Amino acid sequence: MVATALIGLSIATLLFLLAAGLTLIFGMLGVINFAHGALYMLGAFIAYEVATRTGSFWIALVLAPVAVALVGAVIEGLLLRPLYERDHVEQLLMTFGAILVIEEAVRMIWGFGYRDVPLPHSLSGAVPILGDDVAVYRLFLLGAGLVVGIGLFLLIEKTRLGMVLRAAMSHPTMVRSLGIGVDKVRTLVFALGAGLAALGGAIAAPLLPVQVGMGFTIIIDCFIVVILGGLGNIRGAVAAAALLGLVQAFGQTFIPAWIDVATYMVLILVLLVRPQGLFSLAPGRKA
């Protein structure tokens, strides 16, 4: 039971890393980024490439999010910036187009085959916890999610940069009058969200086969997390990711044939009770 619970929390951590970027972009930019799964996949492939060339998982863990954050900055600057004042449908179509471009680029560079990223030696093996053997990498995943979650909270809630980010999204005209570049703030937010997606991909690479289309399977769960937690709510994303991760871990253990049904039942039940998500937002407050 302990091992199952920790596996569930590690799944929740991975979902949170992706959902946090998705939530951040939606909460501050109002953009539903369909390309988030493709950025996650791109992060995993870049992590594979860096780890293969350097022999260091840790260098890959740093460089992959940075590289994908730069890609995210380009996407925001070239594709999304002209669309902020237009209908949301155009933004959705643009991010869907970005999926096709990213996937085709990955296919041309790395091909269709599977890629494996070996576990770093320092994180291999298992440790006994309350009678169960738990993989060290699962514990590392939990720790990484905790660090990212605390870092995001401190960045948004406790720093001057976070204050500027919130103000630029809710009152862009006033922020512009103060001489602050709103366009740069928007680029920074999208790049940060893309970097979080890539961090999830890099961390998942030693656990899952790295392949084209790997983002499609997990992005559905991430959208469920965002809906369950409340659109644009980081705290809600944390709670919803934990709930979904535990449901999937225990479902895989006890009712593996019904795990998808259990996942969607949780979504339906929560929406019936709280259509606005587990953590509703106060007016004017996004994250």
Side-chain angles (χ1 to χ4, degrees):
M1 293 293 285
V2 174
T4 303
L6 289 175
I7 289 173
L9 291 176
S10 68
I11 295 172
T13 301
L14 187 58
L15 290 175
F16 168 69
L17 288 176
L18 268 78
L22 204 60
T23 299
L24 192 67
I25 291 172
F26 178 80
M28 293 195 166
L29 303 184
V31 174
I32 300 176
N33 181 22
F34 272 11
H36 209 65
L39 295 170
Y40 159 83
M41 175 195 65
L42 182 61
F45 271 100
I46 292 177
Y48 158 77
E49 190 69 29
V50 174
T52 301
R53 291 180 178 274
T54 65
S56 172
F57 170 76
W58 301 107
I59 295 177
L61 197 61
V62 173
L63 290 186
V66 172
V68 177
L70 293 176
V71 173
V74 173
I75 291 175
E76 193 280 337
L78 293 181
L79 304 182
L80 289 176
R81 190 173 299 170
L83 302 180
Y84 285 123
E85 306 304 326
R86 299 189 185 180
D87 192 272
H88 286 294
V89 174
E90 295 186 39
Q91 298 172 6
L92 292 176
L93 290 175
M94 184 60 76
T95 56
F96 183 75
I99 295 175
L100 303 179
V101 173
I102 293 171
E103 292 228 341
E104 190 59 30
V106 168
R107 194 174 290 123
M108 290 176 63
I109 296 172
W110 286 286
F112 287 96
Y114 294 90
R115 299 288 189 277
D116 292 320
V117 176
L119 274 177
H121 181 70
S122 57
L123 298 177
S124 60
V127 293
I129 297 179
L130 298 178
D132 287 334
D133 289 333
V134 179
V136 174
Y137 196 78
R138 296 280 182 184
L139 299 177
F140 163 73
L141 189 52
L142 287 174
L146 186 64
V147 170
V148 171
I150 293 174
L152 273 179
F153 173 78
L154 294 177
L155 173 67
I156 294 174
E157 301 287 344
K158 302 295 181 182
T159 67
R160 185 177 183 277
L161 176 61
M163 183 179 66
V164 172
L165 291 177
R166 300 197 307 268
M169 298 309 117
S170 56
H171 301 91
T173 304
M174 181 178 291
V175 171
R176 278 197 183 95
S177 69
L178 296 175
I180 297 174
V182 173
D183 289 341
K184 291 181 180 178
V185 173
R186 285 171 170 165
T187 301
L188 179 63
V189 169
F190 197 91
L192 180 59
L196 286 172
L199 179 62
I203 287 181
L207 295 174
L208 305 170
V210 178
Q211 58 181 318
V212 174
M214 62 185 287
F216 277 117
T217 52
I218 197 167
I219 198 64
I220 295 174
D221 287 342
C222 288
F223 274 114
I224 292 176
V225 166
V226 172
I227 293 170
L228 287 178
L231 295 176
N233 193 306
I234 293 290
R235 299 177 185 86
V238 173
L243 175 62
L244 197 62
L246 290 172
V247 166
Q248 291 193 350
F250 282 97
Q252 189 66 44
T253 302
F254 297 108
I255 49 170
W258 294 83
I259 186 169
D260 289 337
V261 176
T263 298
Y264 292 119
M265 283 300 296
V266 170
L267 175 63
I268 292 170
L269 290 174
V270 170
L271 289 181
L272 285 175
V273 178
R274 291 183 64 83
Q276 72 276 34
L278 292 172
F279 290 77
S280 59
L281 299 175
R285 190 74 168 84
K286 296 293 184 183

